[in-house]
Amino acid sequence: MATQTNSQIYQGEEKIIVAIDLGTTHTAVSFAHAYPGSQTGVRMVTRWKGQPEAAGDSKVDYFIFRVHGEMWLKCIPTIQIPTIVVYEQGEMIAAGAEAREFVGDDAYEISRWFKLHLHPDSMKISDEPPAYDSDIGASPAMEIPPLPSNVTLTKVYSDFMRYVFDGFRTFFQQTTLNGVAIWDRLCSSIIIVLTIPNGWDSRQQGFLKQTAQEAGIVQSEEDADLRIEFVTEGEASVHYVLGKVDHQTWLKKGTIFAVTDAGGSTVDSTLYVCKALEPKLELEEVCASECVQAGGVFVDREAYTLLTKKLSKSKFKDKGSISDMVEKFEQRTKRIFDGSQESNVIEFGSRRDNDRKYGIIQGKITLTASEVRTAFDDIIKQSTESCLKLLRGRQVKVLPSNHGIKLCLISIKVPNSRWGVWRIPLSSVPF
């Protein structure tokens, strides 16, 4: 069980704080039980229905909350579950890891990527890759997987939030000493922190509060206002990055820097100025954040387009086979690709699946580095351009690199991959 302990001694009233990162493709939950005199340990839910402990998709996540005006944040490896809900005749029958076994069965309807339905119109741009089932060569257009028949977005969200919260409750009660008694004592006052894209506003926040009430997590509108807090992905990201990067050598009062969080559906870029280092770090946003719809799911769509073209005359050109390849691409190939391997294997079938003319041998298809790179190129371009928009006309902190080249520091979270620091030559910044 992964736990991170805060070195500060907590002196406030006893409470449970839970942070829910409900993403487009995956969801993760972290929580803390704070009580007077404790060094509050931050933990994550690592066991879900249909998914043994530590057997889920692993990633590094943040946990952020405020107590008496102070921001507490921990960065911990987490276990995430698929953001998927399965319906039969309008009623939910499975969610998360358990939903995977129903994918591809025509008797059920699958709701996935439903977070895209909630994006404001300003984020629904029309320069994404084509939809999975669109004609190759057709003009790119915004496409969101439809909701199941007779199921509203409110119902999908409330069903999934109820599933997630029930899983959190079970995990807390089973893994905390006297967990049932503690839960019964504090459950009506649990502080709930929800992460949201930078581009979301009061409309999306109000919707999430409503769905939390529909899910039975909060009891009324007033209860939701009291217990639900929102943190933008950009705000959480900057604290995460500063916790992982040695910032003491370059972060001074007045330093301006940018942080970009590339998630499942959106890429959020924010420009910050350091206002103070002592007695505590104070950061302030320089201008409105940038938020574009160019996250990891669009890399998957580009991969679908690539494979559809490549296998247009193969016996594996059907949508089912292509979808299986894309699923395996997302689970492994995309996450480990760094351009250094010329051959990139996608294992999607059995030994009996062969079409040597098209590079398919024993259920495996091999893509070159240049082929895989095409799935990333447009998304990386959009993400970089979005971040660079923030730098126009700004006097950004110039940092010397190991090669003596003047660079601009931009911190990037690669979708479903590692956090890193990208240094972009100032010559590419359109000041």
Side-chain angles (χ1 to χ4, degrees):
M1 183 189 305
T3 302
Q4 293 287 328
T5 302
N6 197 310
S7 59
Q8 301 179 44
I9 301 299
Y10 179 74
Q11 297 297 345
E13 64 182 45
E14 185 182 15
K15 63 180 63 178
I16 298 172
I17 310 101
V18 59
I20 301 175
D21 179 11
L22 199 161
T24 302
T25 58
H26 293 88
T27 294
V29 177
S30 300
F31 66 95
H33 173 215
Y35 54 91
S38 67
Q39 288 184 313
T40 304
V42 178
R43 302 160 55 195
M44 70 277 194
V45 177
T46 59
R47 185 170 64 242
W48 299 89
K49 291 181 180 179
Q51 186 165 285
E53 187 162 6
D57 295 312
S58 180
K59 70 173 183 178
V60 177
D61 205 1
Y62 49 80
F63 176 85
I64 181 170
F65 59 94
R66 296 179 179 84
V67 178
H68 295 294
E70 295 293 326
M71 178 178 292
W72 292 20
L73 177 133
K74 284 297 180 182
C75 312
I76 53 181
T78 69
I79 299 300
Q80 55 185 355
I81 58 171
T83 306
I84 305 176
V85 188
V86 181
Y87 288 90
E88 183 179 28
Q89 297 181 350
E91 295 300 323
M92 187 191 87
I93 62 170
E98 292 180 302
R100 284 176 168 152
E101 64 181 272
F102 297 92
V103 175
D105 190 330
D106 293 337
Y108 306 96
E109 293 186 273
I110 312 296
S111 181
R112 64 172 78 207
W113 298 7
F114 51 85
K115 185 176 180 179
L116 300 181
H117 286 273
L118 198 54
H119 285 345
D121 291 339
S122 60
M123 290 171 58
K124 295 178 181 178
I125 56 178
S126 59
D127 56 354
E128 292 88 9
Y132 277 3
D133 56 354
S134 63
D135 293 332
I136 301 303
S139 59
M142 179 61 189
E143 187 273 339
I144 301 175
L147 297 174
S149 304
N150 302 315
V151 175
T152 65
L153 183 60
T154 298
K155 179 171 175 54
V156 174
Y157 256 94
S158 62
D159 284 344
F160 190 72
M161 289 179 71
R162 185 183 305 109
Y163 171 84
V164 169
F165 203 78
D166 286 348
F168 160 54
R169 181 186 66 242
T170 299
F171 186 84
F172 182 93
Q173 292 177 337
Q174 292 180 350
T175 62
T176 303
L177 185 63
N178 297 324
V180 174
I182 294 172
W183 183 273
D184 290 342
R185 186 171 67 248
L186 301 175
C187 64
S188 62
S189 61
I190 293 175
I191 302 301
I192 303 161
V193 182
L194 302 177
T195 59
I196 58 174
N198 288 19
W200 284 17
D201 53 27
S202 58
R203 173 180 171 271
Q204 285 75 32
Q205 293 181 26
F207 175 88
L208 292 177
K209 287 183 178 180
Q210 176 190 349
T211 55
Q213 186 176 343
E214 294 277 348
I217 298 174
V218 293
Q219 303 308 309
S220 65
E221 184 176 339
E222 293 74 18
D223 192 31
D225 290 338
L226 181 65
R227 294 169 50 202
I228 296 179
E229 296 188 20
F230 297 96
V231 57
T232 64
E233 292 164 357
E235 180 184 357
S237 297
V238 68
H239 286 275
Y240 183 94
V241 171
L242 293 179
K244 300 295 286 187
V245 177
D246 181 15
H247 62 274
Q248 296 179 349
T249 59
W250 61 269
L251 186 61
K252 312 294 182 184
K253 183 178 180 180
T255 298
I256 298 176
F257 63 99
V259 173
T260 292
D261 173 17
S265 62
T266 62
V267 175
D268 301 292
S269 302
T270 310
L271 199 63
Y272 292 94
V273 59
C274 179
K275 305 296 288 187
L277 292 170
E278 298 293 341
K280 62 180 180 180
L281 177 65
E282 292 184 21
L283 302 175
E284 183 178 287
E285 290 190 25
V286 175
C287 57
S289 300
E290 281 285 325
C291 183
V292 294
Q293 195 158 265
V297 296
F298 300 105
V299 176
D300 301 342
R301 286 189 175 184
E302 286 281 28
Y304 189 97
T305 300
L306 164 70
L307 291 166
T308 300
K309 289 181 178 179
K310 183 180 181 70
L311 304 176
S312 60
K313 295 183 179 179
S314 168
K315 64 181 181 180
F316 295 97
K317 65 181 179 181
D318 62 283
K319 292 182 179 180
S321 295
I322 299 296
S323 295
D324 288 343
M325 294 177 195
V326 173
E327 181 179 358
K328 297 302 181 182
F329 169 87
E330 192 282 326
Q331 291 176 357
R332 178 172 172 79
T333 309
K334 181 178 76 172
R335 304 187 188 198
I336 65 174
F337 179 73
D338 60 6
S340 63
Q341 296 290 336
E342 181 55 34
S343 296
N344 300 270
V345 178
I346 301 175
E347 300 183 21
F348 71 94
S350 67
R351 290 188 174 186
R352 296 187 297 272
D353 296 325
N354 294 281
D355 195 341
R356 291 180 176 272
K357 182 178 179 180
Y358 294 95
I360 298 175
I361 303 174
Q362 295 185 348
K364 304 175 183 178
I365 182 171
T366 301
L367 302 178
T368 65
S370 60
E371 286 178 318
V372 177
R373 191 175 291 112
T374 61
F376 287 88
D377 284 345
D378 187 57
I379 304 306
I380 290 176
K381 179 181 178 182
Q382 291 184 53
S383 302
T384 303
E385 289 180 349
S386 174
C387 186
L388 293 180
K389 284 181 183 179
L390 296 172
L391 306 183
R392 292 193 180 101
R394 311 286 179 186
Q395 293 184 350
V396 181
K397 176 68 177 180
V398 177
L399 303 173
S401 74
N402 293 334
H403 303 289
I405 304 173
K406 291 184 177 181
L407 303 169
C408 170
L409 183 68
I410 298 179
S411 298
I412 303 289
K413 177 187 176 187
V414 181
N416 293 318
S417 186
R418 299 179 296 273
W419 278 86
V421 177
W422 292 6
R423 290 180 168 87
I424 299 180
L426 285 180
S427 59
S428 68
V429 180
F431 290 111

